[in-house]
Amino acid sequence: QVEEHRRAAEADQPEGVASYWAPGRSLGSRGNRIGRGQTRPVVSAIMRILLLGGTSFVGRAIVEDALRSGADVTLFGRGMTGTDLFPELTRLIGDRDTGDYTALRDGSWDAVVDVSGYLPRHVGQAMDALDDRVGRYLFISSHAVYQKEGLGPGSTEDAPRRAPRRDVQDTEELDDSTYGPAKVACEDDVVARYGDRATIVRLGKVA
C-alpha cells in the first residue's frame, strides 16, 4: 500500500521537472569534517554500506550498483521481500513498523542508505539505533515534498517544500495529502541529526 501511495504522489510530477539530488545542506570538502569530540567509523579501503530496505523499489538497483563498485553491502529489513535476491549478502532482520532495530545494535558502516523510511518515527528510531556508527546517512526522499503551486521547468531543489507532518504514525495513513509532508519531516530530522554528514536524494517518478 505504501508503494501505491508513493506512485500516486509521484504521478503528479510536472512535465519537464527533473529528479533532484538534494544534499543535506552541504557536501564537497565539508562533508568529511567532524567536530572535536565526535566519533565516526573508520573509513576502510572497501566501502561498507548498510541498506535499510534494498530488495524492492530503488533499493535493488542501489544494491546492484554498490556491488559492482566493490562495496561491502549489508541489508536490513523484515526478510519477507526478495528473499532470493543477493544470497551472498549479510541480512539483518528487523521491522520498522514495530520499531524492532535490535539487529542494528552492533556494527558500523561508512554509509547508510535509507530506502524504506516513510515516517518520521522510522527515521528517528533508525538514527537512534545507529547513532554515530555510520559515516553518512543518505535518505531517499521524493519530489512529493515540493509544493505543487509554482513548480515547473527550471525549478531547483530550493523550491518551496510542503509543511512537515509528524502526526502520521502508520504507513496505512499515507495518502496524497500525507506522503510528501511526512517525507519533509524525515528530511528535516536527518539533516538535524547528521548535518553535513546527511544527504537527501529526492526521486522523481519511478516507473
Side-chain angles (χ1 to χ4, degrees):
Q1 187 172 7
V2 171
E3 184 73 2
E4 293 176 359
H5 293 320
R6 180 188 64 75
R7 291 183 184 277
E10 296 183 346
D12 294 329
Q13 183 177 16
E15 187 69 22
V17 176
S19 302
Y20 300 114
W21 175 284
R25 299 298 182 268
S26 177
L27 284 177
S29 60
R30 289 206 304 155
N32 291 323
R33 294 183 182 177
I34 187 166
R36 184 184 301 275
Q38 291 180 290
T39 60
R40 179 183 296 179
V42 176
V43 177
S44 60
I46 298 177
M47 178 69 72
R48 295 163 299 158
I49 301 176
L50 171 67
L51 264 290
L52 304 182
T55 55
S56 61
F57 183 31
V58 297
R60 179 174 177 177
I62 293 172
V63 172
E64 291 172 343
D65 191 63
L67 292 176
R68 280 194 295 268
S69 73
D72 179 3
V73 179
T74 299
L75 302 178
F76 172 85
R78 295 178 299 171
M80 300 173 63
T81 303
T83 54
D84 58 330
L85 297 175
F86 315 118
E88 73 278 18
L89 299 185
T90 298
R91 287 177 179 260
L92 304 178
I93 304 302
D95 191 330
R96 304 193 77 170
D97 284 337
T98 64
D100 180 9
Y101 292 87
T102 305
L104 297 182
R105 63 186 174 188
D106 297 315
S108 62
W109 295 269
D110 298 305
V112 56
V113 181
D114 190 345
V115 180
S116 57
Y118 296 98
L119 306 174
R121 69 175 181 86
H122 286 167
V123 173
Q125 291 168 348
M127 294 190 298
D128 287 344
L130 293 167
D131 198 30
D132 262 346
R133 292 182 292 112
V134 294
R136 177 163 295 278
Y137 198 110
L138 190 154
F139 178 68
I140 300 295
S141 188
S142 167
H143 85 280
V145 301
Y146 294 114
Q147 298 177 12
K148 295 180 181 179
E149 297 78 10
L151 190 66
S155 297
T156 72
E157 66 267 22
D158 295 321
R161 297 180 306 160
R162 302 166 75 178
R165 286 192 58 171
R166 302 179 184 281
D167 58 328
V168 184
Q169 296 298 314
D170 195 292
T171 54
E172 297 296 323
E173 301 174 46
L174 291 174
D175 56 26
D176 291 349
S177 67
T178 57
Y179 178 83
K183 283 285 193 178
V184 172
C186 292
E187 290 185 4
D188 290 347
D189 291 349
V190 170
V191 172
R193 175 73 67 96
Y194 288 107
D196 287 342
R197 293 160 55 196
T199 299
I200 306 300
V201 180
R202 296 173 182 149
L203 303 186
K205 182 177 180 180
V206 179

